[in-house]
Amino acid sequence: MNKLQRILQENCPLIMGVINVTPDSFSDGGCFDTTGKAIEQVNRLVREGADILDIGGESTRPGSRSVESDEELSRIMPVIEFALNMNIPVSVDTSKPEVMQAAINAGVVLVNDTNALQAPGALEVVADSSVMACLMHMQGRPETMQLDPQYSDVIAEVMAFLEQHVALAISAGIARERIIIDPGFGFGKTLEHNLALLHHLDHFTAMDLPVMAGISRKSMLGMITGNTVDNRVYASVAAALLAVGQGARIVRVHDVKATRDAFSVFAAMDRIYPGFLIYPSPDQ
């Protein structure tokens, strides 16, 4: 059992702090695009109370284009190696098997894959390790996913995708206890789709797997509030609280301290009113 599996056994939501070592991520592209800046952000997020650090070197924002593996590795590996000394779980945000392998060899405990381990060889790389894997739903590819996303039933279709890819992961040798699921807010979804997923997030928790929600600073919050991406802290915290209230175990955020403070209030309420954090599952 790795470090992340141990803390997931505790009955509390976890905060994953985002570190994008990229020039073009939607929220903070260019802010941490050097090793020095990214390391400063590692230190900051740990001080602010992150439970997990998620380090990525390739943007998956709408319209983004892929980078070569060598470039991605050169961006993230020095940051991962530094972060591994911080005594909290470290995740790699990548869809490339060769990047996964290098990060696993370094000591990460989670592969956070927006492509749900669909790249040739990805399942095998994770199966041959002891790391956890987060399987995310995305309709289409980052280059085109927001052009015209369509669903007959977004909840049913996203759940079916995740169930299918969980089954594939288990068949490949990845134990169910090593799997996290993510409905993929903003990845091939309209505002209405995203709100439906948030409203019915407890359907996903009923799959009896840890659910991760990544809503922080996303365009759905800009559509609701009219705020630019750098002015969505309050909306992001509200979305994180709603996700946890529906049973999410991990929230992936840019604003760790603001989220930590809000969770502290939630935790105080839950101590007095147990069960406050979690709504009943759909069949209760």
Side-chain angles (χ1 to χ4, degrees):
M1 182 179 296
N2 69 35
K3 195 179 300 184
L4 178 55
Q5 288 173 300
R6 285 197 297 272
I7 64 173
L8 276 168
Q9 289 185 329
E10 301 171 11
N11 188 27
C12 61
L14 303 177
I15 297 173
M16 173 184 276
V18 180
I19 303 167
N20 293 315
V21 195
T22 63
D24 58 345
S25 291
F26 83 96
S27 173
D28 51 11
C31 293
F32 315 113
D33 61 347
T34 67
T35 299
K37 291 177 182 177
I39 285 174
E40 288 177 8
Q41 183 67 353
V42 167
N43 286 321
R44 181 180 300 111
L45 296 185
V46 171
R47 287 197 306 270
E48 291 181 355
D51 298 298
I52 313 162
L53 296 173
D54 191 41
I55 300 169
E58 178 179 73
S59 174
T60 50
R61 64 176 173 77
S64 63
R65 296 189 178 277
S66 182
V67 300
E68 295 297 325
S69 298
D70 288 349
E71 174 66 19
E72 190 174 342
L73 285 166
S74 70
R75 292 175 179 180
I76 65 171
M77 289 311 297
V79 185
I80 285 174
E81 288 162 3
F82 178 85
L84 287 166
N85 295 316
M86 304 305 289
N87 201 34
I88 67 171
V90 177
S91 164
V92 62
D93 177 3
T94 187
S95 296
K96 297 186 180 70
E98 54 271 37
V99 177
M100 296 175 191
Q101 187 66 72
I104 290 168
N105 291 345
V108 303
V109 296
L110 172 65
V111 169
N112 180 20
D113 185 3
T114 60
N115 196 39
L117 300 181
Q118 294 182 84
L123 282 168
E124 291 77 10
V125 166
V126 174
D128 288 341
S129 73
S130 61
V131 303
M132 299 190 74
C134 184
L135 310 180
M136 194 197 81
H137 173 273
M138 172 169 49
Q139 186 182 92
R141 303 297 306 149
E143 297 93 325
T144 58
M145 64 186 178
Q146 289 303 110
L147 294 182
D148 187 27
Q150 299 283 338
Y151 299 86
S152 296
D153 182 332
V154 67
I155 307 302
E157 290 174 46
V158 173
M159 285 187 68
F161 172 93
L162 291 172
E163 287 168 349
Q164 175 189 2
H165 287 279
V166 167
L168 288 171
I170 292 171
S171 296
I174 302 170
R176 187 177 182 87
E177 297 76 36
R178 293 166 55 196
I179 299 173
I180 297 167
I181 55 174
D182 182 344
F185 290 96
F187 284 82
K189 282 100 177 172
T190 65
L191 174 61
E192 290 73 20
H193 296 145
N194 287 316
L195 291 175
L197 288 170
L198 183 56
H199 179 62
H200 295 291
L201 199 62
D202 55 348
H203 286 57
F204 296 89
T205 64
M207 291 174 63
D208 198 28
L209 290 165
V211 173
M212 182 160 75
I215 313 175
S216 176
R217 300 188 187 178
K218 288 194 171 173
S219 61
M220 62 178 283
L221 304 178
M223 294 176 191
I224 294 167
T225 64
N227 292 337
T228 58
V229 68
D230 53 345
N231 285 295
R232 297 176 188 164
V233 176
Y234 309 122
S236 297
V237 171
L241 291 176
L242 288 168
V244 167
Q246 292 282 33
R249 295 299 315 280
I250 303 171
V251 289
R252 185 177 183 272
V253 307
H254 301 84
D255 304 291
V256 168
K257 187 180 188 310
T259 309
R260 174 61 66 200
D261 288 351
F263 279 13
S264 295
V265 177
F266 251 43
M269 282 291 290
D270 198 49
R271 282 194 293 272
I272 299 171
Y273 302 104
F276 173 74
L277 293 176
I278 310 298
Y279 284 99
S281 63
D283 56 355
Q284 285 184 309

